[in-house]
Amino acid sequence: MARKIDGAIEKAYELARERYAALGVDTDKAIRVLARVPVSMHCWQGDDVGGFENAGGTLGDGLAVTGNYLGKARTAEQLRGDFEKAISLIPGKHRFNVHACYAEMGGKRVDRDALGPDQFKNWIAWAKGLGIGMDFNQTYFSHPKMDRGWSLTHPDRKIRKFWIEHGIRCREIGAAIGKALGQVCVTNLWLPDGMKDTPADRRSPRERLAESLDAIFAKKIDKKYNLDSVEPKLFGIGAESYTAGSHEFYMGYAVSRGTLLTLDAGHFHPTEGIGDKISSVLCFLPEIVLHVSRGVRWDSDHVVTLTDELNSIAQEIVWGGYLDRVHIGLDYFDASINRIAAWVIGTRNMVKALLMALLAPIKCLKAAELEGDYTSRLALMEDMKVMPAGAVWDYYCAKKGVPVGAAWLDEVKKYEADVLSKR
Ligand code: RNT
Ligand code: ZN
């Protein structure tokens, strides 16, 4: 969108451009690259992971949302409207990530093992209208057949079969999405299956999980339309002692079966970051998925803020040259603040971190490192922290026709007064 850019923003940008040019960094190019990087925004921030399958369903199975802020989306139309508001405040073109429990039943009851593209036709038509891509997820929670919080690892073959069918149906839905939108859909599989206390048998559930996954992924689906990914986790609420789908489990699975692997920033030990893991797993996998989140003491899924950890994730993607091999997605849910603001803050921060990584004099940094000049590397990295990236960010927002600075907040407040508070 061509817009007239405010004089002060333009002036600040010109000065910033000169400063960066002196370091050999082309800010115009950074902006051009940034504009092509989509972030997959998660539908579940908009309604506290509720979904629409059976209105009023309760969340459980290892996931918890706290807070009771007004105006949560209660219908798919409301969620779509809220998301449209959010993306009008975020620079760039992003994607929408839907969970299977956001199926629209159209009056008839369809269980998870029988879902099809029909239950997602409104989502697909809407995304097509907006010209955005969509991603998808199997939903292994909030369902009576999540018996003891177990799905694909369940000792009962019939229950496993039900969840295997769900897994297959979702891959088919993913392919239908990809085909309809003309952009590949990533279908991500996470399940909470685990145990609260020390298991007597760690082996059998994992062997059953591998077998169930093989049954789900047996059907070949064109990778042009759907890509499968699996998401490991160290622990969950109620599964503190054992999670069948651990890191080693899924790393081995993804490498041996050729699926993608999803790294969620909240799924490791609290002192571990996922930045360092990106180049490790990409030595062995063609592509990965990220669930960028922010854990506070545990996998609490706080709104993504501009932390060192976020910068490190963005740097690893950009500096490693992995922009075309990493599917960047968000995964958090905070119901204690305006949910649209939560989307806007987290996504803008993700984009901002990518911009900052693109603005680094990475050639100089790598050259200094190669020569063993770690002094210069450190000095330069520290200096970068106060370079005028904010001026480039403001200019980028203005250029893309979205509010500059915190001006987006006025629009969210207005939407809250006009729409959310009336729900
Ligand atoms: C849970 C996983 C998973 C979910 C979503 C809703 O710990 O991170 O990705 O958050 O699928
Ligand atoms: Zn996740």
Side-chain angles (χ1 to χ4, degrees):
M1 208 185 305
R3 289 231 178 160
K4 199 170 152 5
I5 295 177
D6 179 89
I9 289 165
E10 183 108 51
K11 221 187 275 166
Y13 177 68
E14 292 305 328
L15 293 173
R17 178 158 60 184
E18 263 177 56
R19 291 284 314 281
Y20 281 105
L23 290 169
V25 174
D26 180 344
T27 53
D28 292 330
K29 184 170 166 217
I31 284 175
R32 277 201 305 278
V33 174
L34 186 66
R36 290 199 301 267
V37 185
V39 173
S40 188
M41 295 171 61
H42 52 314
C43 72
W44 52 96
Q45 168 56 56
D47 75 330
D48 315 340
V49 210
F52 305 119
E53 268 181 313
N54 45 356
T58 50
L59 188 61
D61 306 313
L63 294 176
V65 183
T66 53
N68 190 24
Y69 201 83
L70 65 89
K72 141 177 153 166
R74 284 170 210 286
T75 63
E77 288 83 51
Q78 289 180 354
L79 188 59
R80 285 191 275 269
D82 292 354
F83 181 75
E84 284 179 38
K85 185 76 220 172
I87 53 170
S88 74
L89 306 172
I90 299 164
K93 198 160 193 97
H94 302 292
R95 303 171 63 83
F96 196 58
N97 192 4
V98 175
H99 239 284
C101 60
Y102 288 74
E104 288 178 89
M105 300 306 184
K108 51 177 198 265
R109 169 139 178 76
V110 183
D111 211 345
R112 295 222 185 133
D113 61 340
L115 289 172
D118 213 33
Q119 283 73 48
F120 295 90
K121 61 175 192 292
N122 295 345
W123 288 112
I124 297 172
W126 167 76
K128 199 170 187 153
L130 291 175
I132 60 172
M134 260 174 74
D135 296 306
F136 200 62
N137 301 262
Q138 284 92 353
T139 305
Y140 291 110
F141 51 81
S142 306
H143 190 282
K145 286 208 168 64
M146 287 300 300
D147 177 45
R148 285 186 277 165
W150 293 347
S151 56
L152 295 177
T153 69
H154 203 286
D156 182 338
R157 183 181 296 276
K158 284 198 296 298
I159 295 191
R160 285 207 304 281
K161 177 87 174 79
F162 174 87
W163 289 117
I164 289 169
E165 287 304 316
H166 175 62
I168 300 169
R169 296 291 85 77
C170 288
R171 297 180 65 224
E172 292 165 350
I173 296 165
I177 291 172
K179 201 168 195 171
L181 300 181
Q183 300 183 43
V184 72
C185 168
V186 176
T187 299
N188 178 60
L189 187 151
W190 169 78
L191 44 92
D193 301 33
M195 291 189 222
K196 182 183 177 79
D197 222 331
T198 316
D201 180 3
R202 290 173 188 267
R203 174 176 173 170
S204 304
R206 287 190 170 132
E207 290 183 352
R208 287 194 291 265
L209 178 54
E211 204 184 286
S212 299
L213 292 170
D214 283 347
I216 291 175
F217 297 126
K219 180 176 172 178
K220 287 277 159 284
I221 287 188
D222 195 335
K223 291 195 170 156
K224 206 162 81 200
Y225 302 127
N226 181 70
L227 291 172
D228 298 300
S229 195
V230 288
E231 182 181 5
K233 188 165 179 175
L234 177 64
F235 73 98
I237 298 179
E240 289 83 357
S241 301
Y242 171 79
T243 291
S246 63
H247 300 305
E248 293 73 13
F249 178 89
Y250 278 124
M251 182 74 200
Y253 193 84
V255 169
S256 60
R257 309 305 203 265
T259 67
L260 276 58
L261 184 75
T262 300
L263 298 178
D264 182 308
H267 285 196
F268 295 81
H269 185 278
T271 61
E272 269 183 280
I274 58 168
D276 179 58
K277 301 179 194 303
I278 293 171
S279 55
S280 300
V281 298
L282 283 174
C283 281
F284 304 100
L285 293 170
E287 292 172 42
I288 57 166
V289 177
L290 297 186
H291 272 186
V292 181
S293 184
R294 179 167 56 101
V296 177
R297 301 190 189 280
W298 64 288
D299 179 34
S300 56
D301 290 291
H302 279 62
V303 177
V304 166
T305 54
L306 194 57
T307 58
D308 285 349
E309 157 134 43
L310 183 67
N311 283 322
S312 130
I313 293 168
Q315 287 163 359
E316 285 308 310
I317 301 171
V318 172
W319 298 358
Y322 296 130
L323 274 170
D324 55 347
R325 291 173 62 190
V326 179
H327 302 263
I328 306 170
L330 304 175
D331 181 11
Y332 55 77
F333 21 96
D334 187 342
S336 72
I337 59 172
N338 181 299
R339 295 172 185 80
I340 296 160
W343 262 326
V344 175
I345 294 168
T347 314
R348 280 176 71 116
N349 278 330
M350 184 70 243
V351 179
K352 221 181 280 169
L354 288 164
L355 173 65
M356 288 167 76
L358 285 162
L359 290 175
I362 189 60
K363 279 205 192 96
C364 296
L365 290 167
K366 286 185 181 174
E369 183 168 280
L370 216 53
E371 284 160 22
D373 184 1
Y374 302 146
T375 313
S376 300
R377 182 186 61 185
L378 180 63
L380 213 58
M381 278 185 178
E382 286 307 295
D383 231 48
M384 288 312 300
K385 292 181 179 169
V386 290
M387 284 286 287
V392 183
W393 166 248
D394 288 344
Y395 176 78
Y396 180 61
C397 288
K399 211 169 129 73
K400 289 288 171 193
V402 305
V404 171
W408 62 265
L409 187 57
D410 298 340
E411 293 204 29
V412 171
K413 293 272 185 202
K414 187 168 181 312
Y415 189 80
E416 181 173 309
D418 295 348
V419 181
L420 301 181
S421 66
K422 305 213 165 104
R423 280 182 186 161

